[in-house]
């Protein structure tokens, strides 16, 4: 497809691989906007994750649609931006890019397992949710 005039990049990868860190640093260096998709989860999802309950695809749908709305807003404003989002399933990426497929680039951040930061007491990471 054609390339976006103003890049929209989704940095994807497993939990704790550095998506947010890399995305924030890159956005800062480029002067682009940044959002961590985790910040867009509805309260019900946050409550489930805090309780250690894995989210279902049905739980994720309104969140992914909110992420898509942010990406569409950036496109409409012709804003270069980066979103950090796990987006591991093809179906999730299809929802994220709905209506803006040619404008979104997905970047898969892969690191060796030994480099992944696995905090033991973090509310952001619980091993059974990976």
């Amino acid at each position: 497809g054609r390339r976006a005039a103003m890049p929209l990049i989704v940095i994807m990868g497993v939990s704790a691989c550095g998506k947010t860190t890399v995305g924030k640093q890159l956005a800062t260096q480029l002067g682009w906007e940044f959002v961590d998709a985790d910040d867009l989860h509805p309260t019900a999802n946050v409550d489930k994750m805090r309780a250690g309950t894995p989210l279902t695809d049905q739980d994720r749908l309104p969140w992914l649609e909110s992420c898509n709305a942010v990406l569409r807003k950036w496109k409409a404003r012709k804003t270069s931006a980066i979103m950090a989002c796990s987006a591991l399933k093809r179906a999730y990426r299809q929802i994220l890019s709905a209506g803006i497929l040619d404008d979104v680039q997905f970047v898969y951040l892969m690191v060796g397992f030994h480099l992944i930061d696995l905090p033991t007491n973090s509310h952001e990471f619980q091993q059974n949710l990976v």
Side-chain angles (χ1 to χ4, degrees):
R2 64 174 183 79
R3 303 235 12 195
M6 303 305 278
L8 297 175
I9 297 172
V10 175
I11 298 179
M12 56 179 271
V14 298
S15 181
C17 74
K19 297 178 298 289
T20 299
T21 300
V22 170
K24 279 183 181 176
Q25 289 178 357
L26 186 58
T28 297
Q29 289 179 3
L30 296 171
W32 294 5
E33 289 191 32
F34 173 81
V35 70
D36 186 334
D38 285 346
D39 295 338
L40 302 175
H41 272 289
T43 304
N45 286 7
V46 174
D47 292 344
K48 281 184 92 167
M49 290 185 287
R50 283 192 179 136
T53 305
L55 298 178
T56 65
D57 286 347
Q58 185 176 349
D59 293 330
R60 287 186 178 93
L61 183 59
W63 167 64
L64 292 165
E65 289 172 341
S66 293
C67 293
N68 174 262
V70 169
L71 291 166
R72 285 173 176 260
K73 178 184 75 172
W74 283 336
K75 178 188 176 190
R77 290 183 5 214
K78 299 185 182 343
T79 300
S80 296
I82 298 172
M83 176 181 284
C85 182
S86 52
L88 294 174
K89 290 186 177 180
R90 179 183 305 263
Y92 299 166
R93 294 189 298 275
Q94 289 172 335
I95 296 166
L96 286 170
S97 62
I100 52 173
L101 182 61
D102 289 339
D103 300 295
V104 179
Q105 299 293 316
F106 288 92
V107 176
Y108 184 27
L109 184 61
M110 285 177 54
V111 297
F113 189 75
H114 65 286
L115 297 176
I116 295 177
D117 181 20
L118 299 177
T120 55
N121 297 335
S122 172
H123 70 278
E124 295 179 16
F125 177 84
Q126 294 186 11
Q127 197 152 5
N128 64 328
L129 300 180
V130 174

